Amino acid sequence: MGKKPAQKLSRREFFEKGHLYYLTHLSIDNVIFGFHDNQLKVLLLEWKDTRRWCLPGGFILKGEHIEEAAIRVLHQRTGLNNIYLQQFYAFGDPNRERSKHGIEPPLEVKNKSWLTERFVSIGYWALVEFSKVVPKPDEFSETCQWWDIDKVPTLILDHNNILEKALDSLRRNLNDYPVGRDLLPPKFTMPELQRMYETILDKQLDRRNFQKKMLALDILERLNERKQGGAHKAPFLYRFDQRKYEKAMKQGLRIGLQ
Amino acid sequence: MGKKPAQKLSRREFFEKGHLYYLTHLSIDNVIFGFHDNQLKVLLLEWKDTRRWCLPGGFILKGEHIEEAAIRVLHQRTGLNNIYLQQFYAFGDPNRERSKHGIEPPLEVKNKSWLTERFVSIGYWALVEFSKVVPKPDEFSETCQWWDIDKVPTLILDHNNILEKALDSLRRNLNDYPVGRDLLPPKFTMPELQRMYETILDKQLDRRNFQKKMLALDILERLNERKQGGAHKAPFLYRFDQRKYEKAMKQGLRIGLQ
């Protein structure tokens, strides 16, 4: 772990002395996806000063692995541990901070701060179980809440672009690796699995074709149990075969061109 | 572009004053792949001082886009322009510099240098046409040359790890995007295309199956021409259909689960 400040820095100290503890020019942005009511969602923060929305992000302690930093930020915002985090891209346009909102230095800070310099931000996405998350705003923000992916407002800096790139990466990931264990409840129906894929891909899929392809992946186990709820023909419940799921996470769903 | 030093910095000035021109804590490493004699190759530099091998890398000017920096480094090493560069990962282990070789500060540099601090390195890979490259060593290095991918020696820092991760990314890319336009000559045979895939994937592929899959991608055009060279049954020549290739580069070879 990095050399942490002995005590929590005030906002002014953070502006004036943060560079003694954190790497300059480098930040982390986390795109935290959840799934609820058949809808893909993303966790956003609202800045106190400007009431503008942003991705939950943070900085990297001098001795900290960048992935540790991403995990720490994720934990601070969601209370969750042991989450699968995927690094997807580093954002390095020198103009990405042109419209830097919400982190103006406090008025009493006279000197140029490390925080007003250029930052290259490393993006991670995570899939988390919606029901287990207790969103927590940080000291710079008013609110922390889930947004439907298709209703996300204009975010600060290049955060809409970062979100878009994270979605691209997640969609591409669907082709190569299994997805769902962290988004769905332990038991789910085939229509629920399909709606998860549909909300991520933002398109309708053919029911029969979807079921055929999913079963062909050989990571699902059909239970001798049907979904409760009084429907005329209740659908079967499935769960992921943990061993096969793990194996597919390591090897990928398609190995090369064989 | 970034604020460049008015004149080329000496080695000593680079250690003492480089941080006035370049972003601290951040570097670029390029994994430059080429294909020759049916063999995937990678371009490596040899440090003058230690005679150890490394990936060609560099730093980011204060006002420079990280991708511009990668392109600049690539151009300096290969003389090539207009090369497709793919960012694949940021390497941020605080211990990746433990065994920092070859960039000890010159003896006359008394103070701690920005170069002896920790660096997070952003990796890019590029596919280049072997025959067009004129490898150029930089001022810190003795030699710049192509190595067969399976004969790469122990490299400095975590560069073997960076190379491995670049290969993973390139292999995964084969599933999602067309590859070959930058590695093969404009006209090539099906066996040549197959050997390119085989050397990247490091495994044998079934000839019939390969041909079937390649043709199904619908990016190849078969010419009414056979490879010269006196073989008993000369194979047909193919080329990429530029329009379809471009389209596949944008949309991917498989779009979601449809």
Side-chain angles (χ1 to χ4, degrees):
Chain A
M1 284 294 291
K3 183 181 68 168
K4 272 190 193 160
Q7 51 192 46
K8 202 166 162 54
L9 299 176
S10 71
R11 192 177 145 102
R12 180 177 171 169
E13 285 167 337
F14 190 66
F15 270 84
E16 289 186 342
K17 296 185 195 163
H19 61 282
L20 300 176
Y21 304 101
Y22 296 96
L23 294 183
T24 50
H25 304 125
L26 261 177
S27 59
I28 295 286
D29 280 301
N30 281 341
V31 182
I32 303 172
F33 293 114
F35 179 66
H36 188 63
D37 276 347
N38 294 324
Q39 175 62 50
L40 186 68
K41 290 170 187 279
V42 63
L43 199 64
L44 298 175
L45 293 177
E46 190 186 24
W47 285 105
K48 260 183 195 153
D49 300 347
T50 59
R51 310 201 66 94
R52 293 202 49 190
W53 292 86
C54 65
L55 296 168
F59 303 99
I60 302 152
L61 287 162
K62 285 205 168 179
E64 191 177 41
H65 198 297
I66 54 173
E67 198 163 297
E68 271 184 281
I71 290 169
R72 176 170 51 75
V73 171
L74 178 71
H75 177 71
Q76 284 165 356
R77 291 297 139 262
T78 62
L80 290 174
N81 285 310
N82 300 320
I83 296 298
Y84 172 68
L85 269 165
Q86 172 81 45
Q87 190 198 110
F88 65 94
Y89 206 70
F91 296 84
D93 186 333
N95 296 320
R96 59 180 292 271
E97 262 116 3
R98 274 271 167 82
S99 57
K100 210 162 181 170
H101 289 282
I103 53 167
E104 302 302 322
L107 285 176
E108 67 274 28
V109 174
K110 300 277 187 319
N111 296 328
K112 213 182 155 202
S113 164
W114 70 294
L115 279 175
T116 55
E117 289 201 23
R118 168 186 176 188
F119 278 84
V120 173
S121 198
I122 301 172
Y124 285 85
W125 56 255
L127 303 175
V128 306
E129 212 181 309
F130 182 87
S131 63
K132 287 193 181 155
V133 172
V134 186
K136 287 182 223 162
D138 64 15
E139 57 194 313
F140 292 102
S141 54
E142 189 80 51
T143 326
C144 183
Q145 76 180 43
W146 290 104
W147 283 75
D148 286 3
I149 202 74
D150 51 2
K151 291 183 185 126
V152 167
T154 302
L155 306 175
I156 67 164
L157 311 181
D158 58 348
H159 285 197
N160 289 94
N161 178 38
I162 295 178
L163 172 57
E164 204 47 51
K165 195 99 182 173
L167 260 175
D168 282 351
S169 169
L170 173 60
R171 284 171 184 156
R172 199 173 151 189
N173 212 59
L174 290 187
N175 281 336
D176 300 327
Y177 297 98
V179 167
R181 190 177 52 183
D182 308 301
L183 292 177
L184 293 167
K187 296 177 188 178
F188 49 86
T189 65
M190 193 57 79
E192 283 165 346
L193 184 65
Q194 182 172 339
R195 281 192 290 269
M196 184 198 75
Y197 273 86
E198 287 178 334
T199 183
I200 293 175
L201 293 169
D202 193 24
K203 68 179 166 202
Q204 304 273 308
L205 301 171
D206 174 71
R207 190 180 61 81
R208 261 177 227 220
N209 201 19
F210 177 82
Q211 172 150 348
K212 205 176 117 201
K213 289 201 176 183
M214 279 298 122
L215 294 176
L217 296 180
D218 191 28
I219 54 171
L220 289 172
E221 189 185 348
R222 199 179 86 170
L223 304 171
N224 279 326
E225 226 179 298
R226 287 170 188 269
K227 173 106 176 171
Q228 304 297 311
H232 179 60
K233 197 186 165 190
F236 275 108
L237 285 165
Y238 290 80
R239 69 177 167 212
F240 290 112
D241 180 311
Q242 292 301 326
R243 199 180 52 80
K244 289 179 179 170
Y245 194 100
E246 279 302 331
K247 199 174 154 204
M249 284 297 283
K250 282 192 194 107
Q251 300 186 346
L253 291 173
R254 304 188 309 151
I255 304 156
L257 275 165
Q258 309 233 63
Chain B
M1 283 294 291
K3 183 180 69 170
K4 272 189 191 160
Q7 50 191 49
K8 204 163 158 61
L9 299 176
S10 72
R11 193 177 146 104
R12 179 177 173 171
E13 284 167 337
F14 189 66
F15 270 85
E16 289 187 341
K17 295 185 196 165
H19 62 282
L20 299 177
Y21 304 100
Y22 296 96
L23 294 183
T24 50
H25 305 125
L26 260 177
S27 59
I28 296 287
D29 279 302
N30 281 342
V31 183
I32 302 172
F33 294 113
F35 180 66
H36 188 64
D37 277 346
N38 295 324
Q39 174 63 51
L40 186 68
K41 292 174 185 276
V42 63
L43 197 65
L44 298 175
L45 292 177
E46 189 184 24
W47 284 105
K48 262 183 190 153
D49 301 348
T50 60
R51 308 201 67 94
R52 294 202 46 192
W53 292 86
C54 65
L55 297 169
F59 303 99
I60 302 153
L61 287 162
K62 286 204 169 178
E64 190 178 42
H65 198 298
I66 55 174
E67 201 163 294
E68 271 183 282
I71 290 170
R72 177 171 49 78
V73 171
L74 177 72
H75 177 71
Q76 284 164 357
R77 290 301 136 263
T78 62
L80 290 175
N81 285 309
N82 301 319
I83 295 300
Y84 172 70
L85 270 165
Q86 171 81 44
Q87 192 199 108
F88 65 95
Y89 206 69
F91 296 84
D93 186 333
N95 297 320
R96 60 181 291 272
E97 261 116 5
R98 273 272 168 79
S99 57
K100 210 161 183 170
H101 289 283
I103 53 167
E104 302 303 323
L107 284 176
E108 66 274 28
V109 174
K110 298 279 188 317
N111 298 327
K112 211 180 158 203
S113 164
W114 69 294
L115 279 175
T116 56
E117 289 202 22
R118 168 187 177 190
F119 278 84
V120 173
S121 199
I122 301 173
Y124 285 84
W125 55 256
L127 303 175
V128 305
E129 212 181 307
F130 183 86
S131 63
K132 289 194 180 155
V133 172
V134 186
K136 288 180 223 163
D138 62 16
E139 58 195 313
F140 294 102
S141 54
E142 190 79 52
T143 325
C144 182
Q145 76 178 45
W146 290 105
W147 284 74
D148 286 2
I149 203 73
D150 51 1
K151 290 181 186 130
V152 167
T154 302
L155 307 176
I156 67 164
L157 310 182
D158 57 349
H159 284 196
N160 288 94
N161 179 37
I162 294 178
L163 172 57
E164 204 46 53
K165 196 99 182 174
L167 260 176
D168 282 351
S169 169
L170 173 60
R171 284 170 183 158
R172 200 174 150 189
N173 213 60
L174 289 188
N175 281 335
D176 299 327
Y177 296 97
V179 167
R181 191 178 48 182
D182 308 303
L183 293 177
L184 294 169
K187 296 178 189 180
F188 47 86
T189 64
M190 193 57 78
E192 283 165 347
L193 184 65
Q194 180 170 343
R195 281 193 289 270
M196 182 198 76
Y197 273 87
E198 286 178 335
T199 183
I200 293 175
L201 293 168
D202 192 23
K203 68 180 165 202
Q204 304 274 308
L205 301 171
D206 175 70
R207 189 179 62 81
R208 262 179 226 219
N209 202 18
F210 177 81
Q211 172 151 349
K212 205 175 117 201
K213 289 201 176 183
M214 280 298 122
L215 294 176
L217 296 181
D218 191 28
I219 53 171
L220 290 172
E221 189 185 348
R222 199 179 86 172
L223 304 171
N224 278 327
E225 227 180 297
R226 288 170 187 270
K227 173 107 177 170
Q228 304 296 314
H232 179 58
K233 197 186 166 191
F236 274 108
L237 285 166
Y238 290 81
R239 70 177 166 211
F240 290 112
D241 180 312
Q242 292 302 326
R243 199 179 53 79
K244 289 179 178 170
Y245 194 100
E246 278 302 331
K247 199 175 153 203
M249 283 299 281
K250 283 193 193 107
Q251 299 185 346
L253 291 173
R254 304 185 311 151
I255 304 157
L257 275 162
Q258 300 253 33

